[in-house]
Amino acid sequence: RKEVEQDPGPFNVPEGATVAFNCTYSNSASQSFFWYRQDCRKEPKLLMSVYSSGNEDGRFTAQLNRASQYISLLIRDSKLSDSATYLCAVRRYNKLIFGAGTRLAVHP
Amino acid sequence: GAVVSQHPSRVICKSGTSVKIECRSLDFQATTMFWYRQFPKQSLMLMATSNEGSKATYEQGVEKDKFLINHASLTLSTLTVTSAHPEDSSFYICTGGAYNEQFFGPGTRLTVL
């Protein structure tokens, strides 16, 4: 079993849709949690850190449930420019461990 | 944010040759940097932790004699893929930074013919 699991998608949604991504992690020693965005053939870019209290950045909301070892990302009012692969990542000690990513395609 | 550069951005080589990839932190000092590999449509897999002034720490399953890492200064880590073969073709990315934020290099796409 992979340490960080994500639904690979793809999620094909129309502009304006709300889409939710889920991620689970298996190691309870994981300390910090993140969502990254990766465009095709590029390096990942940090989208947001994830906290138990939940955090929001514009149209993006992230949530962490430590008891269930579950992380989520909600994107509201999807834009064409949101099309990318979204990577869940956990930090365990000094290492960042990534999920395989969920591909999002937003269409007109 | 902080800047990490990688060179080259793309390399095509023949099977059996060695390829060196450089990773530089341009505006911060990095005692630790990390090397990842990403195959098409797969996740970033951590290969090794590069430690300034000491030996790198390799993840399970990564051959240390094949992927040589040198971290001779606080701003430069190098990964050398020795005797590269087609199965080594991949996207190699380095990162460095503070505990709670890692800055990624732009990646090096290696194609071994």
Side-chain angles (χ1 to χ4, degrees), chain B residues 56-77:
Chain B
T57 307
Y58 290 82
E59 295 300 301
Q60 193 172 15
V62 178
E63 299 173 60
K64 63 180 181 180
D65 295 329
K66 180 166 181 67
F67 298 99
L68 301 179
I69 291 173
N70 184 279
H71 195 150
S73 78
L74 286 170
T75 58
L76 174 64
S77 174

Side-chain angles (χ1 to χ4, degrees), chain A residues 9-66:
Chain A
F11 284 56
N12 294 299
V13 302
E15 275 185 290
T18 295
V19 61
F21 301 140
N22 303 319
C23 172
T24 58
Y25 61 97
S26 60
N27 195 319
S28 58
S30 300
Q31 298 152 308
S32 308
F33 309 88
F34 309 90
W35 282 102
Y36 282 80
R37 170 192 170 126
Q38 186 175 27
D39 292 288
C40 190
R41 304 172 85 83
K42 300 279 190 181
E43 77 277 20
K45 303 278 190 189
L46 180 64
L47 187 62
M48 57 201 306
S49 301
V50 190
Y51 307 106
S52 297
S53 55
N55 48 304
E56 188 174 307
D57 183 1
R59 297 180 294 109
F60 299 83
T61 301
Q63 189 74 49
L64 164 67
N65 185 320
R66 282 189 183 267

